Amino acid sequence: MSTAPRTTALDALHRSLGATMTDFAGWDMPLRYASERDEHHAVRTRAGLFDLSHMGEIAVTGPEAVAFLNHALVGNIGTVGVGRARYTMIVREDGGILDDLIVYRLAETEYLVVANAGNAQLVLDTLTERVAGFDAEVRDDRDAYALIAVQGPESPAILKAVTDADLDGLKYYAGLPGTVAGVPALIARTGYTGEDGFELFVAPEHAETLWQALTEAGAPHGLIPCGLSCRDTLRLEAGMPLYGHELTTALTPFDAGLGRVVKFEKEGDFVGREALVAAAERAETAPPRKLVGLVAEGRRVPRAGFQVVADGKVIGEVTSGAPSPTLGKPIAMAYVDAAFAAPGTEGVGVDVRGTHEPYEVVALPFYKRRK
């Protein structure tokens, strides 16, 4: 039995703007409004406006909220100050990644966990299961929020035009409550594009007011609406992992090159600790494969699942690939055997429909913004 995809509070507005819609993780979302390339370049050089209301918000509150989150997640949530945020992960007992998350500390005993759309229910169910024995509450807050992002070098100037919040004092991975375009919002300096920007959590009934205000404030700065397609090429250039591609239950954070998010030194036990200790040792002594960047010498685009080859053998697999509007060449992220992971390694190719196309191995990310 098929179920219709969910729609965000901005659905009618997207359609009025002529957006091409797509089913993404059970949501009807804008893929693009006009040109994916134009949207990508707008974010890199000016600013783009995104509807991210498909993300999964989960509230964690109570006297033992921090102890619970330290048990349930791999990071040390106890060191997150009020008004700050942390990138972290939730794993299985065997260390396999269930999802990557951002955790915002809103108050002394109040946290907001933001999960990927496709994993939101799984994360909610897992946290609900793991909270047993803790004086804390896990609450599904997905219907309480719409999430709008403004990303790009012009985003601070645009947001300043519609808020009196102290944006200059708002650091990367921090969030503060404020009023934007007359509506209450959690203003977070986070994003998934490799650019400076903000993510604004508001009540769904305020989403359209906020979108329109940002559109008007952004017009002089070249702001345009952007869809999921350019969001993917932006995050790929920035070397940011996508769940289901670079992150899966078959991989631990150490396998994904993100062992830094695991904090063994925190107080108390946490789910997956034993398996992750072993994974950390493997990564130090004999890493099976490493995540690398690949840049095409030709024009053919690698896609997820394509084999990486060298010396007539399969040495890895592409996890994400696309034409890079910024570099002007096809790029990919791939897990390859450690012996072929060093930047500049020669003789590496990708099997693109039977043809071994040459690729240069590079360090991630492909793109870094100027500070």
Side-chain angles (χ1 to χ4, degrees):
M1 190 178 77
S2 64
T3 56
R6 297 180 66 181
T7 57
T8 77
L10 295 166
D11 184 71
L13 189 147
H14 296 317
R15 294 174 193 279
S16 75
L17 293 171
T20 299
M21 306 297 287
T22 188
D23 185 344
F24 182 82
W27 290 80
D28 216 8
M29 299 296 295
L31 184 65
R32 73 182 75 82
Y33 296 84
S35 159
E36 297 165 2
R37 181 175 291 271
D38 287 350
E39 292 171 21
H40 181 107
H41 283 309
V43 175
R44 285 279 178 259
T45 61
R46 303 185 306 277
L49 192 59
F50 296 85
D51 179 8
L52 306 180
S53 302
H54 59 311
M55 300 295 281
E57 294 88 2
I58 301 163
V60 177
T61 58
E64 293 185 338
V66 66
F68 158 60
L69 288 169
N70 269 349
H71 164 74
L73 311 178
V74 301
N76 189 351
I77 309 305
T79 59
V80 181
V82 173
R84 298 308 301 265
R86 173 111 354 126
Y87 176 77
T88 187
M89 294 184 184
I90 184 168
V91 302
R92 305 189 303 192
E93 282 284 3
D94 66 1
I97 302 166
L98 290 172
D99 202 13
D100 60 338
L101 312 164
I102 295 181
V103 178
Y104 298 90
R105 188 173 191 175
L106 305 182
E108 196 62 33
T109 59
E110 185 181 350
Y111 294 82
L112 181 66
V113 178
V114 180
N116 286 296
N119 295 329
Q121 190 62 49
L122 173 63
V123 172
L124 176 66
D125 292 344
T126 305
L127 290 177
T128 302
E129 182 183 303
R130 293 181 184 178
V131 79
F134 290 91
D135 187 4
E137 180 190 353
V138 174
R139 184 178 72 241
D140 182 359
D141 262 6
R142 283 175 288 181
D143 291 337
Y145 292 104
L147 178 57
I148 295 172
V150 55
Q151 298 278 301
E154 293 293 317
S155 57
I158 294 166
L159 194 54
K160 280 179 184 177
V162 291
T163 184
D164 57 4
D166 177 19
L167 300 185
D168 292 335
L170 188 65
K171 297 177 181 175
Y172 187 51
Y173 264 73
L176 81 163
T179 301
V180 183
V183 301
L186 170 64
I187 306 167
R189 201 161 204 158
T190 46
Y192 193 51
T193 63
E195 298 297 337
D196 192 8
F198 303 88
E199 295 182 320
L200 308 169
F201 297 82
V202 298
E205 60 267 26
H206 295 147
E208 195 163 330
T209 299
L210 179 57
W211 181 281
Q212 297 288 22
L214 289 167
T215 298
E216 290 172 23
H221 299 272
L223 174 87
I224 62 172
C226 295
L228 292 179
S229 185
C230 84
R231 182 171 152 89
D232 190 48
T233 52
L234 289 160
R235 71 89 194 168
L236 177 56
E237 287 182 351
M240 294 178 169
L242 175 63
Y243 195 87
H245 291 255
E246 289 72 41
L247 309 175
T248 70
T249 52
L251 298 168
T252 72
F254 293 95
D255 297 325
L258 291 166
R260 64 182 182 276
V261 306
V262 181
K263 302 300 180 186
F264 293 119
E265 72 277 9
K266 63 181 176 178
E267 286 183 24
D269 197 13
F270 64 92
V271 177
R273 177 193 276 271
E274 195 173 323
L276 291 174
V277 167
E281 291 172 357
R282 280 197 310 275
E284 280 290 319
T285 55
R289 284 184 169 176
K290 289 189 173 183
L291 187 65
V292 300
L294 300 174
V295 177
E297 294 181 19
R299 308 304 303 173
R300 301 185 75 183
V301 179
R303 298 296 184 188
F306 284 15
Q307 293 179 336
V308 183
V309 293
D311 302 330
K313 298 176 183 175
V314 176
I315 60 157
E317 185 175 299
V318 171
T319 53
S320 297
S324 164
T326 304
L327 276 64
K329 300 176 180 179
I331 60 173
M333 288 199 280
Y335 283 105
V336 302
D337 294 347
F340 297 88
T345 299
E346 296 183 353
V348 173
V350 174
D351 187 338
V352 182
R353 298 181 181 85
T355 304
H356 290 186
E357 298 286 334
Y359 276 76
E360 179 188 359
V361 179
V362 300
L364 293 170
F366 301 96
Y367 166 85
K368 277 186 182 176
R369 70 179 174 96
R370 295 189 187 94
K371 298 295 183 185

